[in-house]
């Protein structure tokens, strides 16, 4: 590896380039408002940036977490863990809607996430395929950049926790683009600030959780698939009642994220791995080993 002279500056430079592509797509191309329903172009650009940066620093894919060993096991761990925490979250939401006199039920269809709630209702197989493929691109780019590349570069100078916090804060800021766009289109300043505060805090916490998952497993794949479930299930599985659709979506997401963060932190605190070898020996809940 060609160690960067200033790891933080290198991270900020890559981040600025990726954010520039994100800005262009959200404000000008607006793929998420098109037939595709997904803002995926800047994610593809981010994957290209990731590959170029890896080459510049003479890194290998394995060095930033794309490890082939135990890949199926890690993928299954991420999927099972993600579905488990959302099972709890949907159960709580179901009970809350029922307690308010609603008639809750689950429906499967594809929608696009918006800061004010999901929009659209598509049931064709093509839209499910687009949603799944778009979310795969999303997690490969975001986990590869934030938990893979950034963590590797920052740990050349900082300890794991410090590096994870820096990457997680950047991941939180990464999500401010949607409420900013909404404000420029006539939204309220208060609404924008509230959404920005909520998105930065929740995304940073979840990003920190994914960093710990990556540390404990020694690869990106468990975090990648937990991240995939976190995003895809919001787009495809909806709580409907006689009073509306996904009215308590934010509550559901918050419960799932906080529950998963608590579980991950408890396991990490108990095991506290200090090397990739030790991390690989940590048996995470829902492990098949």
């Amino acid at each position: 590896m060609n160690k960067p002279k200033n790891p933080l500056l290198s991270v900020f430079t890559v981040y600025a380039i990726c954010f520039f592509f994100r800005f262009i797509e959200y404000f000008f191309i607006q793929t998420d408002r098109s037939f595709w329903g997904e803002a995926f172009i800047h994610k593809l650009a981010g994957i290209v940036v990731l590959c170029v940066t890896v080459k510049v620093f003479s890194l290998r894919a394995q060095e930033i977490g794309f490890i082939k060993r135990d890949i199926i096991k890690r993928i299954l761990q991420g999927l099972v863990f993600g579905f488990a925490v959302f099972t709890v979250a949907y159960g709580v939401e179901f009970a809350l809607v029922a307690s308010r006199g609603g008639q809750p039920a689950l429906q499967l269809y594809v929608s696009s996430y918006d800061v004010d709630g999901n929009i659209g209702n598509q049931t064709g197989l093509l839209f499910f395929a687009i949603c799944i493929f778009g979310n795969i691109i999303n997690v490969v780019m975001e986990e590869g950049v934030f938990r893979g590349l950034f963590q590797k570069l920052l740990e050349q100078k900082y300890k794991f926790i410090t590096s994870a916090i820096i990457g997680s804060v950047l991941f939180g800021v990464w999500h401010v683009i949607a409420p900013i766009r909404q404000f420029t289109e006539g939204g309220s300043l208060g609404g924008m600030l509230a959404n920005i505060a909520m998105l930065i805090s929740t995304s940073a916490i979840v990003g920190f959780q994914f960093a710990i998952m990556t540390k404990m497993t020694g690869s990106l794949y468990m975090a990648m698939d937990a991240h995939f479930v976190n995003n895809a299930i919001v787009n495809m599985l909806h709580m409907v009642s006689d009073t509306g659709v996904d009215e308590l979506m934010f509550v559901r997401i918050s419960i799932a994220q906080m529950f998963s963060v608590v579980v991950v932190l408890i396991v990490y605190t108990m095991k506290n791995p200090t090397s990739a070898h030790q991390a690989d020996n940590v048996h995470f809940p829902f492990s098949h080993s």
Side-chain angles (χ1 to χ4, degrees), residues 23 32 36 46 53 55 76 96 187 191 248 272:
F23 173 82
D32 58 315
W36 300 100
T53 308
K55 290 289 186 181
L76 289 175
L96 289 174
L248 299 179
N272 193 24

Side-chain angles (χ1 to χ4, degrees), residues 202-273:
T202 56
S203 299
I205 291 171
V206 172
F208 188 72
Q209 165 199 319
F210 292 148
I212 292 177
M213 277 187 184
T214 302
K215 177 71 171 177
M216 289 194 297
T217 60
S219 79
L220 289 170
Y221 292 109
M222 181 179 181
M224 196 179 295
D225 284 87
H227 190 168
F228 171 82
V229 173
N230 184 80
N231 288 3
I233 202 167
V234 171
N235 295 130
M236 294 193 291
L237 188 60
H238 307 272
M239 185 74 69
V240 301
S241 70
D242 49 5
T243 58
V245 179
D246 290 328
E247 292 177 293
L248 299 179
M249 182 176 67
F250 176 68
V251 175
R252 175 207 314 157
I253 294 173
S254 298
I255 291 171
Q257 291 176 345
M258 292 305 103
F259 179 47
S260 62
V261 167
V262 169
V263 171
V264 170
L265 287 176
I266 288 174
V267 175
Y268 180 73
T269 302
M270 291 172 61
K271 302 297 183 179
N272 193 24

